[in-house]
Amino acid sequence: MAPTTEPSWGAGRGRMSSADVVKLARLVCSKHIPEDELRAALAFGPGAFGYGGPEAELFVLSVADGLGPRARFAEEHVGGRRVSLIAVDRKLFRGDVARGLLGEMLADKLLLPYVPVEGADYLAKIEISLKKRLALELLMDVANRFPTMAQEILLDARYFLYEVIYRMGRIMPMAAYPFANLLARPADRRLHEPRMLKGFLRGLRELEAEGLVARANGFFRATGKLVRKAKRQRLLGMFLRLKGPIRGLSKYAVRALSDMAKPYVSERRAFLERFGPRAGANPLSALPRPDDFLLLRTSIGVRPALREVAFEEIARLIGRLEGPDDVELREIGGTVNLVYLVTVRSTSGAARLIVKYFKDWHTLKWLSLRLWALGAKRFAISGTERLKREYTMCRELGELGFPVPRIFHVDLRARCLVEEFIEGVNFSELLRRSFLGEENPGRVARLAREAGRLLARIHKVGIGVGDYKPENLIVGYNGRLNLVDLEQAARGGDEAWDVAEFLYYSGHYVPSVSTADVFEQVAGAFLEGYLDAGGSPEAIRKAPSIKFARVFSVFTPPQVIEAINELCGRF
């Protein structure tokens, strides 16, 4: 067809309309693919959406029957507009969508906005299939990266989009330019994100129907079924998954890569024209970080789960601080964790936070403790597991109205947790002073009774504390007991262990040369409070058992052990 008789397809006049794009794409397809073999076609790229300038090339991907195992390429100049056609066999296209047969160099067109030319229903169906597969793989990857926290992590749907983009961009950097052109600017994201997310949302709904995903306040989270599936399969993420397809692609790519790469080259050119040469170094840097869409619930709202803590930001959120900030960190102990008291001061006040870094317990000290407790108590050793317990138990108990610290921030990568600093006096200090005659014994007995009632209430909701010693009870300035350090807490824990630990740890403050009279008053008040609030008499009867006594006898005076046996035997 002579150029003088062809209509002008928008060349030199800006973006073509969708109708013109469809007409032009159909014309080019008709020249190279018999009508009865064409199953679907789509137009994509700068020429289809107008962001590459008036001379931008139009790219068309067609899916047909009978083309064999190789993609075909053609270039046409129609009415002043250059059009590049990529024609692939339907089976080849389906293989790339279903398992990355060509490294998803064809399937990635379905991740972008496109103009349906033929077979719109087919394209919509296969797009959902692709995005469902990718969403499942990413969910499984999250479950393998954070097995203990997978069911707590909330995923914004945008995580799936941007994590796919980042992984593809790391493997083949040129593949990032199409996405950067459409998503680099906030206004572009508002325009294109909803359309690009639509297929992911449809796929996630199908995964929800299969019991692999649950929705929570507009977010998604892995279910126990998915976590178990991930544990079985042990997927290592999309990078390893793509290594096989890319190796299989290598011989094919020698012949076809230059043609397959043409759309990416065009996208890079458009990107540089729009954002300047300096922006071309790394197009991923212009996009939101996927990790910012992995979230956890906290007392100050939903926050990124992999972001480094910003103390000033948290202090403002909880204390409404204004003006310049001064941050002071002070290590406050923590035998098994790194624990800091952080004070953020400004011209309008101060806020205090507790920051914990959860270490794994691999030292001889804790190995010895495990041997002592063999047959008595199973400790959570992993730092990640203990962080998960502290986070989940503080959140669950807090939501039920129990006096526990509020969680403000979690960084899963650093195994760091930021929580509320509870102002007050440690109950263990009051006990010590009471046994030395320096504290009102009536006050201490009243607090011990409250400690018993608090423990019973926690047991009644099905949670064992696991570390219910006086050191983990803070008497607030309002006189109320607060429970801290819940990293050993769990649903279905051993109630008798909690009772025994409180009694034996309380008793070890009794001087070895003293009688157990004052201790008996404290312990009796604790047990009475525990029973009054509905605690289990069986837990009290089991507390002085040999399996517990052998753990605590190392540091508990004999007269206290005898008193515990006598007191618990009354119930």
Side-chain angles (χ1 to χ4, degrees):
M1 187 178 293
T4 56
T5 63
E6 295 171 343
S8 173
W9 297 94
R13 296 184 292 132
R15 177 182 174 180
M16 288 190 292
S17 68
S18 293
D20 281 346
V21 168
V22 170
K23 291 178 183 177
L24 181 55
R26 284 177 175 169
L27 176 62
V28 172
C29 286
S30 69
K31 293 183 176 184
H32 298 274
I33 302 171
E35 184 177 354
D36 61 343
E37 295 180 2
L38 183 65
R39 295 293 173 261
L42 61 89
F44 64 95
F49 290 93
Y51 55 81
E55 306 299 330
E57 187 173 0
L58 179 68
F59 289 93
V60 179
L61 173 65
S62 65
V63 181
D65 289 329
L67 296 184
R70 297 183 183 178
R72 300 180 184 180
F73 307 93
E75 184 175 300
E76 296 281 346
H77 291 265
V78 184
R81 177 74 65 172
R82 185 170 60 192
V83 183
S84 285
L85 174 68
I86 304 172
V88 297
D89 186 84
R90 180 165 54 167
K91 292 180 180 178
L92 186 65
F93 185 57
R94 183 70 194 183
D96 198 39
V97 168
R99 58 185 185 277
L101 185 63
L102 296 180
E104 290 163 345
M105 294 180 73
L106 299 173
D108 67 351
K109 311 304 181 283
L110 297 173
L111 298 172
L112 297 158
Y114 59 85
V115 178
V117 176
E118 296 287 354
D121 291 343
Y122 168 83
L123 291 171
K125 182 178 179 179
I126 203 166
E127 176 190 344
I128 294 169
S129 172
L130 170 68
K131 292 180 176 178
K132 176 184 176 181
R133 172 175 68 83
L134 294 173
L136 178 59
E137 289 176 356
L138 293 176
L139 283 161
M140 301 266 279
D141 187 55
V142 169
N144 277 306
R145 289 167 64 199
F146 310 106
T148 62
M149 291 291 289
Q151 291 180 257
E152 301 293 335
I153 295 172
L154 303 176
L155 295 96
D156 187 304
R158 289 173 291 180
Y159 170 76
F160 301 102
L161 172 62
Y162 287 106
E163 183 66 11
V164 167
I165 295 170
Y166 266 69
R167 295 191 181 199
M168 294 180 73
R170 293 189 194 108
I171 293 169
M172 190 175 77
M174 291 287 285
Y177 285 106
F179 300 100
N181 274 321
L182 295 167
L183 297 169
R185 293 171 175 162
D188 292 334
R189 290 196 288 273
R190 288 192 293 270
L191 177 64
H192 297 297
E193 266 184 3
R195 181 172 179 179
M196 300 170 80
L197 290 172
K198 187 176 179 180
F200 281 111
L201 293 171
R202 288 281 300 275
L204 286 164
R205 283 197 290 270
E206 292 184 10
L207 293 174
E208 182 183 17
E210 296 170 16
L212 296 170
V213 175
R215 276 188 279 190
N217 299 320
F219 301 105
F220 297 88
R221 65 171 182 83
T223 63
K225 181 178 178 180
L226 185 138
V227 173
R228 291 189 295 273
K229 181 180 177 72
K231 186 176 182 180
R232 289 193 301 268
Q233 296 191 13
R234 293 296 181 189
L235 294 180
L236 297 180
M238 197 178 302
F239 174 74
L240 292 181
R241 177 186 61 76
L242 283 176
K243 286 175 70 175
I246 288 176
R247 283 195 298 267
L249 178 63
S250 59
K251 290 183 180 179
Y252 174 87
V254 170
R255 295 186 296 270
L257 187 57
S258 61
D259 289 305
M260 295 282 280
K262 283 184 63 178
Y264 305 117
V265 173
S266 176
E267 295 279 3
R268 182 177 186 275
R269 186 184 305 115
F271 185 80
L272 295 176
E273 289 175 356
R274 298 180 73 204
F275 298 99
R278 293 181 62 185
N282 182 9
L284 293 175
S285 64
L287 301 177
R289 297 192 317 165
D291 285 353
D292 288 344
F293 301 115
L294 290 177
L295 311 164
L296 285 170
R297 285 178 287 177
T298 74
S299 296
I300 52 176
V302 175
R303 294 184 57 79
L306 299 175
R307 182 184 295 173
E308 291 184 6
V309 58
F311 299 121
E312 299 90 336
E313 176 190 1
I314 294 174
R316 290 191 186 97
L317 288 171
I318 66 174
R320 301 184 179 87
L321 300 186
E322 298 177 357
D325 298 311
D326 179 33
V327 179
E328 174 188 312
L329 280 80
R330 178 165 62 90
E331 190 169 351
I332 58 173
T335 306
V336 297
N337 301 315
L338 291 174
V339 183
Y340 298 91
L341 173 62
V342 177
T343 304
V344 183
R345 294 185 177 87
S346 77
T347 54
S348 61
R352 305 177 85 184
L353 309 166
I354 291 293
V355 180
K356 293 184 179 181
Y357 290 90
F358 290 80
K359 302 181 294 183
D360 289 330
W361 293 354
H362 294 312
T363 64
L364 181 60
K365 176 176 181 178
W366 284 103
L367 177 60
S368 300
L369 180 56
R370 291 190 69 197
L371 291 175
W372 292 342
L374 185 64
K377 170 67 177 173
R378 184 184 296 273
F379 290 101
I381 303 299
S382 158
T384 302
E385 173 63 23
R386 297 192 339 269
L387 181 151
K388 177 234 180 177
R389 293 190 182 197
E390 178 104 1
Y391 167 78
T392 56
M393 291 296 102
C394 282
R395 186 171 57 78
E396 288 187 30
L397 289 172
E399 290 173 354
L400 292 171
F402 287 94
V404 296
R406 294 177 293 162
I407 302 298
F408 297 135
H409 185 81
V410 179
D411 179 355
L412 293 179
R413 187 178 285 117
R415 293 194 303 205
C416 169
L417 181 146
V418 182
E419 65 186 19
E420 179 182 15
F421 173 70
I422 305 294
E423 303 274 359
V425 180
N426 196 291
F427 184 46
S428 64
E429 177 62 18
L430 296 180
L431 276 175
R432 186 189 64 80
R433 286 159 49 186
S434 173
F435 295 150
L436 293 175
E438 300 172 355
E439 182 64 50
N440 183 344
R443 179 194 180 200
V444 175
R446 177 185 62 79
L447 290 169
R449 183 174 289 103
E450 184 181 342
R453 295 180 63 84
L454 175 60
L455 181 61
R457 289 171 50 219
I458 293 174
H459 284 173
K460 286 175 72 175
V461 299
I463 292 173
V465 178
D467 200 11
Y468 198 74
K469 56 181 182 279
E471 286 90 335
N472 291 339
L473 291 166
I474 306 296
V475 183
Y477 293 140
N478 59 1
R480 183 188 187 194
L481 275 181
N482 300 268
L483 176 61
V484 299
D485 288 337
L486 288 162
E487 63 185 63
Q488 293 296 330
R491 288 205 164 272
D494 190 338
E495 297 178 356
W497 169 270
D498 288 342
V499 174
E501 186 178 26
F502 182 89
L503 293 174
Y504 283 104
Y505 264 93
S506 297
H508 95 278
Y509 292 104
V510 176
S512 59
V513 296
S514 300
T515 67
D517 294 345
V518 179
F519 168 76
E520 289 180 11
Q521 181 181 1
V522 171
F526 169 77
L527 294 174
E528 289 171 5
Y530 183 74
L531 287 177
D532 288 346
S536 167
E538 182 67 18
I540 294 177
R541 286 193 288 268
K542 290 181 177 179
S545 68
I546 293 177
K547 72 174 184 177
F548 294 149
R550 68 183 180 185
V551 176
F552 300 110
S553 60
V554 176
F555 53 76
T556 304
Q559 69 270 30
V560 170
I561 296 175
E562 183 179 347
I564 292 172
N565 274 290
E566 182 180 344
L567 284 168
C568 293
R570 298 174 185 173
F571 299 95

